[in-house]
Each structure stands twice: as C-alpha cells, then as structure tokens.
Amino acid sequence: MAEFTIGVRIRRRVDAATWRLAAFATLALAVILLLVPTFIALAASFNGGESLRFPPRDLSWRWYEALWSASDDIWDAFAISLRVSALATLGAGLMATLAALYLSRQRNAWARALETFFQSPMMLPGISLGLAMLVWLQTIGVPLSYWSLVIGHMAISTPYIIRTALIGFAQIDPSLLEASRSLGADNTRTFVRITLPLALPAVLAGSFIAFMFSFDNVPISLFLSDARSEVLPIRLWNLIENLLDVRAAAVAGVLIIFTIVFALVMERVLGVSRYVR
Amino acid sequence: MSTAAMPVPLSAMTRKSRLDTNVLLVLPLLLYFLIFVLAPQIVLLVMSVHGQDGALTAANFARALSDPMTYGVLFGTLRLGAYATVATIVAGFPYALAMVTVGPRLRSIMLLLVILPLLVSAIVRTFGWLVTLGNQGPINTLLQWLGWIDHPVRILFTESAVVIGLTQIELPMMVLALYTVLSRVDGSLALASRSLGAGHWRTFVQVLLPLSVPGLIGGAALVFASAVGAFVSQTILGGGGLLYMPMYIYQQSILSQDWGFAAALAVILMITVSAIIFAGTVLARRSQGYIHG
C-alpha cells in the first residue's frame, strides 16, 4: 500500500516536472524566436564595416548618415508607399465599415457568404492575386500607375478592417440604438451620433493594422506598379538582394523604431490588441 | 409618451426604407470586390486555358503537369508550408496556453510581444534572419566561440533557413488564433481533469488539445496559406538555388512573358492550397466530432 502511494507520488512529481520543463523550454524558445530577428536587424544597422555582422565590430551611424544624405531613391519609394497605403486604407476603411455595418445587422447565409468573400484576399496567395489583377487591368485597358497600386492595396486592406469593424459593431449595446431612435433620432443621426463613435476605435484599429500590412506588401505591388512608382518594400528588397548595400540595415532600423513607436501609441489610444483576433 | 405619439404606419415605413439603405451600405465594397477581386480570378482561369491563337486549350496545364519540375517546385513549396505550420503549432501552443493562465498584467505584455513583431515589416524581419543565420551572424559566431565548429556552417540559403524565417513570421498568427479559442475554454475543465487524477500531460492531450481544434484549424489554414505564398522570405532566405511556386510564377509571367503558363501555375497552386486547407478542415472537424462522441 505504502509502495503504491509512493509510486503514484513519484509519477505525479515526474508528470508535473516534465510538464513545467517542456512548457518553459518552448515558451523561452517562442519568446527568443519572436524577438531575435528584429533585435539583430536593429543591432546590425550600427555596424561600422562594409558587411553585415553580429555582434557589430565597431559602432557607427554611417549607414544612417548615408540614408539621410545620399538616398533619394529610398525617400521617393517611402513617399509613394506612404501615399498608396494611406489612400488604400482610407478607401477600404470607408467601404469596409459600411459593409460591416450591413453584415452586422444580417444573420443569414448570404451575409456569411459575403463576409467570407470579403475575407478571401487574406487566404489567396498574394502572387496569384497580383498576377490576376494585372492581367485583368490590362484586359480592361487600365494602364499601370500609382492608382492601380491603390486599387490593388485596397483588396488586401479590406479583410483586416472588415474583421475589426464587425467586432466593433457587435460590441454596441442594442438598447443604446433603441434609446436613440425612441428619442426621435432618425437612422442617419443614430449612426453618426451613436453607432459610429462607439465603433470607431475598432474601425481605426483595423485600419492601422491594414495600413501596416499594405505598407509591407510586395506581391501586389510587384505586379501593379509601373516603372515610376516603386514602393519602399520593393526598394528595400532590392537593397537586401544586393548584399553590399548596407543602407538596407539603416532602413530596417528606421522601420523598426517607427513601427514600435507607432504601434505603442496606437495601443495606448485605441487598444489595438483588443481587436486582434 | 413618444411611443404613444408615434403612428404605426410610420414605423412600418421606416423599417422598410431601412432595409433598402442597408443594401446600399454593402454595395460599394461588393462592386469593388466583383470588379477587382472576382473578375481577375475568372480572367486568370480563362487565361490559363487560352491558347496563343485564342482557342480553348489544355496545353498550358498539359505542359505544367507533364513537367517534373512543376512537381518538384510545388512539392517543395507545400512542404515548406507544412513545416512552418507544424513549427508554429509547437512553438505557439505553449505560448497561447501560458497567455490564458497568467495574470492580466503579464497577459497584456505577452499579447504586445506577439503583436509588435506581427506589425514589424516581414521584409525587415527576413533581413534580421539574413544577418542572424549568415556566416558572420550570431549563431556562427557563438558556435565558433564555443569551439564546436572551425568554419562557419551554411544555414542561409537552405530550406531550414526559409522554415525558420517563416515560422517566426507566422508565429503571431498561430498564437492569436489559439489564444482566442483557449480563452473561451472553461478553465474549470482542466482543473476538474486534474483533480480527478489525470496528470498535466493527460489533461493536455485529452482535454485541452481536443477543445482547441477550431483554433488549430483556423491558425493552420492561415499559416499554411501565407507561408506557401511568402514570396520575399522564400526568395531572400532561400537564395537563388531554391525555387518555390511564387517565384516560379513570377519568373514565368514577368520575366518570360509566358502568361498562359504562369496563369496555369497560379491556378494549380491555388487549387492545391485550397484543397489541402479544405481537406484539413474537414478531417479536423470529423476527428473533433469523433472525440466528443
């Protein structure tokens, strides 16, 4: 009897110990995995030498100086990226918010199918989406320009905004809308004064995420841009492929700082993490 | 008072007009999607079965499907997706589970730790791996310093490098999908399982894992689809020696101007990926039904 209990006790100890060990080991691995490339990319940008190494041999700002003073190509690409992503997010944001308002009021199969349709650009390989759009634009005779980029980026921005907007609308207490209507406000007024302000943080959080992904997109931009409108990720990709151009490290460094600051501000203002599902 | 004052026909009228305006709400996005998402897919499909003389032909598919290279590239790409999916599940599950168990303060830090890398440009993170895995990177430096190796080992430009990079890039997606599902699981279930004598491992396998199947399916579909199409990471970390479907399609369309063949390849990729995701979803749903009796 006593031996049996000791056996059980040992087995329990082993069970708990191996469980904790495995949990901590994988957890540590995940945390390292999540942080490593960003940290290393940032550290490599302060490298004084001509090649990319870690740990950096001698610290220097030289690549940042080169980025600041002798990189019109990068700044042009940055400006185009900023404009394309801002316009695409604005367009997709307006259309997706209205569509989400409709979808949030409907519970039938048609609405669910539409929702899946609007989410589809997220599941399609970017390369097929880009190729298909290029072929189609040529078929209907739309020349490639800055605007074809905006049209393409709107498709990939939509899923993120639809998603968070639906969460935002679903969280509104219906009795507030009833109260507004029973107090004499019409639908438009109720929407502008009650629904929209309550759902706005969710819509803006989705728009922020959509903007970041649009800003980073390569496959769509690769197919839909003309020679004059090179976006930043493609410029950066070219810099990285050409391994000797260490300005890539400085661009990466700037983007990392920009992203972290922007994300922390957005988290503070909108609580973005509440809507990431 | 206002309810009494409101005539019945008016409310009926507003309800009717509300229905009409509702459809108008969805119309802009629907039109945009029909014109710029659905129509292109149809045209791509048409182009893939379009001969140079304009007639209907299966030549593009015949060429793609009779070429061993297509299978090699396609299989390599799907394997990449499979590895990345499994790796994100292995690394992401404990993370998601820990997020549910820790206190709210630590949870929000862990959530931020997942979202921040998600927002940092995938190209920048790929660039980080380029440095990390390179001959002069921290891994080789550390191994040489420890005296385990004399010369830098080549990690970059191998399949492992692409898988490592993709795992990192897709990990947040998997964690968020699993976290959503696990946070809805009643915590008392695991407690009950343990108080009834099941250990941590058994509780995990028999209670938590089956309950998280919906999150696993959703996360796996997202990770798989996006890893298979991850153009930049595949190209940069795989180098010139490894060819995957997205680059193959890009080469055939833009560089070789062979549009019909590129379209056929894109259709083959889309069909295979959707079929695998669909099959995975059905299988997982079935096994879940089986588990719950």
Side-chain angles (χ1 to χ4, degrees):
Chain A
M1 184 65 198
E3 275 164 39
F4 175 71
T5 359
I6 288 169
V8 168
R9 216 179 270 168
I10 288 175
R11 214 190 310 145
R12 286 230 166 142
R13 282 262 170 87
V14 170
D15 178 79
T18 51
W19 172 259
R20 292 229 170 85
L21 192 70
F24 274 113
T26 40
L27 202 58
L29 183 81
V31 173
I32 291 172
L33 198 62
L34 282 170
L35 297 180
V36 152
T38 312
F39 177 72
I40 301 285
L42 195 58
S45 66
F46 295 107
N47 204 334
E50 291 292 332
S51 68
L52 291 167
R53 60 166 69 233
F54 183 92
R57 198 154 276 179
D58 33 24
L59 295 175
S60 127
W61 288 97
R62 59 183 291 198
W63 299 116
Y64 286 95
E65 279 160 18
L67 178 64
W68 183 247
S69 55
S71 303
D72 283 346
D73 54 332
I74 296 174
W75 289 106
D76 289 347
F78 178 71
I80 288 177
S81 266
L82 213 56
R83 268 156 59 203
V84 166
S85 296
L87 278 175
T89 309
L90 190 69
L94 287 175
M95 293 194 302
T97 305
L98 294 180
L101 185 64
Y102 170 78
L103 294 175
S104 68
R105 289 174 182 172
Q106 308 285 317
R107 287 278 145 233
N108 51 25
W110 149 252
R112 296 285 78 78
L114 262 186
E115 200 183 315
T116 313
F117 182 38
F118 294 147
Q119 300 274 4
S120 64
M122 206 153 72
M123 297 301 286
L124 288 167
I127 208 87
S128 346
L129 200 63
L131 176 62
M133 281 184 162
L134 172 63
V135 170
W136 170 242
L137 289 180
Q138 287 188 342
T139 309
I140 58 174
V142 176
L144 286 187
S145 71
Y146 167 76
W147 290 105
S148 56
L149 266 177
V150 174
I151 288 175
H153 276 247
M154 264 160 53
I156 48 166
S157 303
T158 299
Y160 302 102
I161 306 176
I162 280 270
R163 206 174 250 207
T164 58
L166 279 172
I167 296 175
F169 287 131
Q171 281 171 348
I172 295 175
D173 184 352
S175 64
L176 289 174
L177 306 179
E178 286 302 316
S180 164
R181 288 208 194 90
S182 71
L183 288 171
D186 60 12
N187 286 322
T188 316
R189 201 177 154 90
T190 303
F191 176 73
V192 172
R193 301 292 292 269
I194 310 289
T195 316
L196 197 59
L198 287 174
L200 203 59
V203 171
L204 292 178
S207 305
F208 165 65
I209 297 167
F211 176 86
M212 298 307 280
F213 279 100
S214 154
F215 197 79
D216 189 38
N217 176 280
V218 165
I220 305 281
S221 315
L222 205 55
F223 282 106
L224 297 184
S225 59
D226 62 344
R228 278 176 306 150
S229 38
E230 190 180 40
V231 293
L232 186 63
I234 294 183
R235 185 79 221 119
L236 185 55
W237 186 25
N238 290 336
L239 292 179
I240 292 172
E241 293 265 272
N242 174 11
L243 278 170
L244 289 173
D245 199 337
V246 193
R247 280 184 308 165
V251 182
V254 171
L255 282 180
I256 290 168
I257 302 294
F258 166 77
T259 306
I260 291 177
V261 171
F262 195 25
L264 288 178
V265 169
M266 283 295 157
E267 176 64 26
R268 193 94 191 145
V269 177
L270 301 171
V272 175
S273 56
R274 279 182 296 155
Y275 304 104
V276 186
R277 289 282 140 99
Chain B
M1 188 192 99
S2 63
T3 14
M6 197 185 280
V8 179
L10 186 71
S11 90
M13 232 166 71
T14 45
R15 186 168 302 154
K16 191 157 185 247
S17 73
R18 198 196 315 166
L19 206 78
D20 292 338
T21 41
N22 270 354
V23 178
L24 288 180
L25 292 174
V26 81
L27 220 52
L29 192 64
L30 184 59
L31 275 178
Y32 168 80
F33 261 68
L34 288 177
I35 298 173
F36 293 111
V37 178
L38 187 64
Q41 305 297 324
I42 295 170
V43 170
L44 190 75
L45 205 64
V46 169
M47 180 158 239
S48 67
V49 291
H50 206 69
Q52 280 182 339
D53 50 352
L56 197 70
T57 169
N60 289 319
F61 284 98
R63 192 181 137 202
L65 294 175
S66 64
D67 186 355
M69 185 174 169
T70 312
Y71 296 100
V73 175
L74 182 63
F75 183 68
T77 313
L78 298 177
R79 192 173 57 192
L80 206 60
Y83 284 161
T85 309
V86 172
T88 52
I89 291 174
V90 172
F93 209 109
Y95 195 95
L97 201 56
M99 274 176 75
V100 194
T101 17
V102 298
R105 212 183 159 76
L106 196 54
R107 182 182 308 138
S108 58
I109 293 175
M110 287 183 81
L111 194 57
L112 207 61
L113 207 61
V114 167
I115 295 173
L116 274 181
L118 186 69
L119 295 173
V120 172
S121 157
I123 299 178
V124 169
R125 288 187 278 161
T126 304
F127 172 74
W129 284 117
L130 193 71
V131 181
T132 309
L133 303 175
N135 283 352
Q136 296 181 318
I139 294 180
N140 268 314
T141 310
L142 183 71
L143 290 178
Q144 277 174 310
W145 183 73
L146 289 170
W148 290 2
I149 51 170
D150 294 331
H151 301 286
V153 279
R154 204 179 76 133
I155 316 169
L156 211 59
F157 309 141
T158 64
E159 190 184 34
S160 312
V162 188
V163 172
I164 293 172
L166 287 180
T167 303
Q168 199 271 340
I169 287 169
E170 308 298 344
L171 186 59
M173 295 286 214
M174 181 60 83
V175 169
L176 290 171
L178 286 174
Y179 169 66
T180 309
V181 170
L182 285 174
S183 63
R184 288 192 198 125
V185 171
D186 189 350
S188 58
L189 282 174
L191 221 56
S193 159
R194 288 235 298 285
S195 69
L196 287 171
H200 286 93
W201 289 103
R202 203 162 151 200
T203 302
F204 173 69
V205 173
Q206 295 198 326
V207 180
L208 288 174
L209 210 53
L211 284 171
S212 52
V213 165
L216 282 173
I217 303 172
L222 263 180
V223 169
F224 184 76
S226 133
V228 161
F231 195 38
V232 179
S233 317
Q234 291 172 358
T235 317
I236 294 178
L237 297 175
L242 294 173
L243 184 61
Y244 297 105
M245 279 307 263
M247 189 59 186
Y248 192 32
I249 296 169
Y250 178 68
Q251 280 178 355
Q252 293 303 317
S253 55
I254 299 291
L255 306 177
S256 306
Q257 297 281 321
D258 198 344
W259 295 96
F261 187 59
L265 288 176
V267 170
I268 290 172
L269 178 65
M270 274 200 286
I271 290 176
T272 332
V273 170
S274 327
I276 289 173
I277 290 175
F278 182 72
T281 313
V282 170
L283 271 179
R285 289 248 163 82
R286 245 191 220 155
S287 67
Q288 197 192 14
Y290 173 73
I291 286 163
H292 291 300

